[in-house]
Amino acid sequence: MLLPRRFTFLDYVSSSLVISGYRWITRFLALGCYAMLLMPGFIQVAFYYFFSRQVRRSIIYGEKPRNRLDLYLPKTSQGRKPVVAFITGGAWIIGYKAWGSLLGQQLSERDIIVACIDYRNFPQGTISDMVEDASQGISFICNNISEYGGDPNRIYLMGQSAGAHIAACTLVNQAIKETGEGDSVSWSVSQIKAYLGLSGGYNLFNLIEHFHTRGLYRSIFLSIMEGEDSLHQFSPEVLVQDSNVKPAVSLLPPVILFHGTADYSIPADASQNFADTLRRVGGKAESILYDGKTHTDLFLQDPMRGGRDEMFEDVVAIIHGEDEAALAKDAVAPPRRRLVPEFMLKLAHDVSPF
């Protein structure tokens, strides 16, 4: 009689590799389908990025690799414009300044200047390098944006996904520097009117295993974050609870966090928990949730749908909140142009691997 073969450790490893490989293949295919469905929109955005006179590409803000930023300027040059310093996402690995071109185009149509800051990605750099680059880019904007028609007294810091994490780390780190003795600074958190975080994660301890199951494996993630001992330093939600950091929290500008409830790349409670923590330690913060929206709905599908969408209008209302004339113009602004047919957007929502 044949006895069943024992299931060995090697069998376990082999089956795990097969499952892991299958998972990557299915996500790669889903990514391909997703990109093809949104391709009509991507082509139009790329054309605008490369050929519009309102875009100033690759302005140098520092000496390190990828120390470049893109500026999206409104068509009208009358008066000083509010400014959004934007840090794009990309899982700390594939971030690029051009990923913010759709946001830049649409906000500039509302008379807002957008500066998309590029930064070193892993493995070219680790999280410290990314924060350093973001800080230097923000410094350039604070000190030079008036030359491009921007109002240095109305600068808003914004980040999306990994970019939201980098921006939050940069802001908290800058506040800590300003409460220290003898630390020289080239910009101040007081120059930032508000921080707008879109679909970000702010507590790495809560996300490391989640990312591992999503394909950003623990070993890679810890390499990006410079080891397990550094997770505290680069978890803004954890860092602001440190009693030594309390004076820095009082310097932070208002923090508004946006998140979709159907986001499975970074769960929505990441924003809720950070906002709750900031309020508990004396900061000014709120989280705004959008029912049924995924990680990419808020940043890609909804903007490509055209018309009006809730999150975009919320962002514009915050930026124009103290400008009654701008708010009046927003109320009668023409709806945004549709870039992708509705059926393709719905399919993209269904197949999105993000």
Side-chain angles (χ1 to χ4, degrees):
M1 182 177 67
L2 293 176
L3 296 175
R5 187 170 66 89
R6 293 177 61 189
F7 192 73
T8 66
F9 176 74
L10 288 177
D11 292 325
Y12 172 79
V13 171
S14 299
S15 62
S16 297
L17 290 173
V18 169
I19 293 171
S20 177
Y22 174 76
R23 184 186 302 161
W24 271 106
I25 291 171
T26 56
R27 286 182 179 170
F28 181 78
L29 291 174
L31 176 61
C33 293
Y34 177 79
M36 288 300 297
L37 288 166
L38 297 185
M39 191 57 66
F42 289 146
I43 291 172
Q44 294 173 73
V45 173
F47 185 85
Y48 174 85
Y49 179 74
F50 287 109
F51 298 106
S52 173
R53 294 181 179 179
Q54 307 311 125
V55 183
R56 306 286 188 272
R57 297 190 307 277
S58 295
I59 296 171
I60 298 172
Y61 69 77
E63 298 178 351
K64 300 289 175 59
R66 297 188 64 167
N67 282 183
R68 306 288 187 273
L69 60 82
D70 295 331
L71 282 181
Y72 297 82
L73 304 175
K75 290 183 179 180
T76 62
S77 58
Q78 296 177 346
R80 294 289 184 185
K81 315 293 185 184
V83 181
V84 171
F86 183 68
I87 301 176
T88 64
W92 303 274
I93 297 173
I94 57 170
Y96 184 54
K97 57 188 173 64
W99 299 167
S101 54
L102 180 56
L103 178 74
Q105 177 183 357
Q106 295 186 342
L107 284 179
S108 67
E109 290 172 352
R110 294 293 189 92
D111 228 22
I112 299 166
I113 293 175
V114 179
C116 291
I117 301 170
D118 208 3
Y119 56 90
R120 284 169 285 176
N121 284 210
F122 183 80
Q124 188 179 30
T126 55
I127 186 63
S128 291
D129 301 310
M130 300 175 202
V131 170
E132 178 187 346
D133 290 350
S135 181
Q136 197 161 358
I138 295 167
S139 174
F140 179 91
I141 294 164
C142 288
N143 294 304
N144 296 280
I145 200 61
S146 59
E147 297 176 17
Y148 299 92
D151 185 346
N153 297 313
R154 288 191 293 166
I155 298 175
Y156 296 80
L157 178 60
M158 185 175 184
Q160 188 262 342
S161 191
H165 168 256
I166 294 168
C169 287
T170 305
L171 193 63
V172 173
N173 185 61
Q174 185 69 17
I176 293 172
K177 281 184 179 180
E178 291 181 29
T179 58
E181 295 182 4
D183 287 328
S184 61
V185 295
S186 58
W187 64 281
S188 171
V189 293
S190 64
Q191 294 175 272
I192 306 300
K193 290 279 288 182
Y195 168 66
L196 312 176
L198 173 57
S199 307
Y202 310 98
N203 186 335
L204 303 183
F205 293 100
N206 292 345
L207 291 170
I208 185 169
E209 293 304 324
H210 174 76
F211 288 151
H212 183 79
T213 62
R214 297 282 303 161
L216 181 53
Y217 296 126
R218 181 184 180 90
S219 59
I220 298 174
F221 184 71
L222 288 176
S223 295
I224 296 171
M225 298 301 159
E226 301 170 5
E228 200 156 357
D229 292 341
S230 296
L231 294 182
H232 180 279
Q233 178 186 353
F234 296 110
S235 293
E237 179 188 325
V238 177
L239 191 57
V240 297
Q241 298 179 66
D242 191 323
S243 59
N244 295 325
V245 178
K246 190 171 183 179
V249 174
S250 65
L251 299 181
L252 295 175
V255 172
I256 304 99
L257 307 176
F258 309 90
H259 223 117
T261 61
D263 189 331
Y264 41 82
S265 291
I266 300 178
D269 60 8
S271 289
Q272 288 180 292
N273 292 341
F274 186 32
D276 291 344
T277 298
L278 281 170
R279 288 195 298 269
R280 191 170 65 251
V281 298
K284 301 175 288 292
E286 65 174 306
S287 58
I288 303 175
L289 302 184
Y290 301 92
D291 189 46
K293 298 297 183 180
T294 67
H295 198 68
T296 54
D297 279 336
L298 296 175
F299 191 63
L300 285 176
Q301 286 98 279
D302 286 351
M304 288 187 177
R305 179 171 282 110
R308 293 180 179 270
D309 76 73
E310 193 176 357
M311 195 211 76
F312 180 79
E313 297 300 334
D314 286 345
V315 169
V316 173
I318 291 168
I319 296 170
H320 284 161
E322 299 176 358
D323 188 337
E324 292 185 6
L327 289 172
K329 288 182 180 179
D330 291 335
V332 296
R336 295 177 298 174
R337 184 170 57 89
R338 176 181 284 277
L339 303 181
V340 178
E342 184 63 24
F343 80 95
M344 297 177 75
L345 289 171
K346 289 182 177 179
L347 286 172
H349 172 93
D350 292 339
V351 305
S352 173
F354 302 108

